[in-house]
Amino acid sequence: MTAFTVVFLTTGILTLAASIGVVTSNNLVRSVFWLASTLLGTAALYVLLHADFVAMIQVLLYTGGVITLMLFGVMLSKRNPGTAVPNASSNIGRAFAVIAPLLGITLAAIWSTPELSRMKPIETTGAKEIGDMFMQRQLLAFELLSVLLLAAMVGAIIIARKRAPGGQS
Amino acid sequence: MDIRIALTLAAILFSIGIFGALTRRNVLGTLISIELMANAVNLNLVAFSRYTASTETQVLALFSMALTVAEVAIGLAIVILIFRTKGDVIATTINEMKR
């Protein structure tokens, strides 16, 4: 149990604790802020796994963009302005009955595969290799991604815009 | 460090996300739990990228991140539309397809 493993486990357990806060909080805004902590903890885990570019993009996109989007969504769907947004849970027992076998099978599969225990960390890549990959081997996917983001933007605007009073679109 | 520690963390994070998606009554709570699930998948991909000599896994994680952000945008647009037409976003009261 090296020092690195201890640090990794501590960061991982803090991230899991924040994610439990996401799914059990009764206030929706608090859930969103617990999600921000979870996303920052995940970015820290990426840095520990030597994926610094992915960690930076995670902080930018997720904790910057997605949290802002979520807060706007919470703000635009409140019934009574000024009260705590209710966010209760139901069917907790049935959810556990579904999740426990899934988690058990996944963990059993992970911890009983001998090839995984033989894998050693390999010094991989930085932003240069990722950029090369985007511009050379994965160029088509990159361009299709920009088309998809355009479609998502247009779709979101069309879905959420106000209709004219005559019902015209 | 073993790769299995990172994979276990990702698996537990994913199950917590499924728990949130199944139990939250607010539709926005479900969206947030789907975010958790997508993050668990990205953590898995990045862990494998560290332990095998492939950049493509990290590139896949970046693509997955971009797709998830687009999906959140569309999901929030739908939630706003639901709120506008139904008046609230509690999933147990939006059950017109049940009757």
Side-chain angles (χ1 to χ4, degrees):
Chain A
M1 182 74 76
T2 63
F4 179 78
T5 311
V6 171
V7 169
F8 193 86
L9 271 176
T10 312
T11 316
I13 290 175
L14 285 175
T15 310
L16 287 179
S19 66
I20 292 178
V22 173
V23 300
T24 58
S25 167
N26 277 329
N27 187 342
L28 189 60
V29 180
R30 293 225 178 121
S31 264
V32 174
F33 280 109
W34 279 121
L35 181 68
S37 318
T38 310
L39 297 173
L40 284 175
T42 316
L45 286 173
Y46 290 163
V47 170
L48 284 171
L49 287 170
H50 289 223
D52 39 5
F53 184 70
V54 181
M56 284 192 299
I57 298 294
Q58 161 99 355
V59 173
L60 262 179
L61 275 186
Y62 272 123
T63 52
V66 168
I67 297 297
T68 311
L69 274 181
M70 294 280 183
L71 286 175
F72 269 113
V74 168
M75 179 186 80
L76 289 172
S77 60
K78 283 175 71 163
R79 298 188 73 174
N80 316 313
T83 60
V85 187
N87 195 11
S89 310
S90 56
N91 299 331
I92 295 184
R94 282 183 261 182
F96 269 121
V98 165
I99 288 166
L102 266 166
L103 186 59
I105 292 175
T106 311
L107 289 180
I110 292 175
W111 286 93
S112 67
T113 310
E115 286 82 4
L116 286 177
S117 66
R118 287 198 282 268
M119 289 170 95
K120 295 284 176 287
I122 299 177
E123 195 52 53
T124 53
T125 73
K128 177 184 183 306
E129 283 85 359
I130 295 180
D132 284 340
M133 186 84 49
F134 269 126
M135 286 294 137
Q136 292 168 13
R137 277 190 59 90
Q138 315 287 346
L139 183 59
L140 180 62
F142 189 56
E143 299 297 331
L144 284 178
L145 183 66
S146 49
V147 173
L148 181 137
L149 288 175
L150 176 68
M153 255 197 299
V154 172
I157 291 174
I158 290 184
I159 289 175
R161 69 178 175 177
K162 288 201 187 296
R163 300 285 184 261
Q168 311 287 328
S169 60
Chain B
M1 192 196 72
D2 222 342
I3 190 182
R4 297 180 291 183
I5 296 178
L7 297 184
T8 311
L9 281 172
I12 299 178
L13 192 61
F14 191 77
S15 329
I16 293 175
I18 298 183
F19 176 76
L22 289 177
T23 63
R24 295 315 241 162
R25 249 186 262 154
N26 200 329
V27 177
L28 279 165
T30 314
L31 269 181
I32 290 173
S33 309
I34 293 177
E35 274 305 299
L36 277 183
M37 286 196 261
N39 264 284
V41 168
N42 285 338
L43 181 58
N44 218 336
L45 282 171
V46 169
F48 269 112
S49 157
R50 168 85 170 120
Y51 283 79
T52 65
S54 78
T55 318
E56 282 152 341
T57 326
Q58 279 191 19
V59 170
L60 185 57
L62 286 170
F63 277 129
S64 161
M65 253 183 238
L67 285 172
T68 312
V69 169
E71 158 225 329
V72 163
I74 301 277
L76 282 173
I78 293 178
V79 166
I80 290 176
L81 189 60
I82 289 176
F83 179 70
R84 203 183 289 148
T85 55
K86 294 277 174 288
D88 61 9
V89 284
I90 309 297
T92 49
T93 60
I94 311 173
N95 52 3
E96 280 171 346
M97 285 168 87
K98 243 181 172 177
R99 288 182 240 123

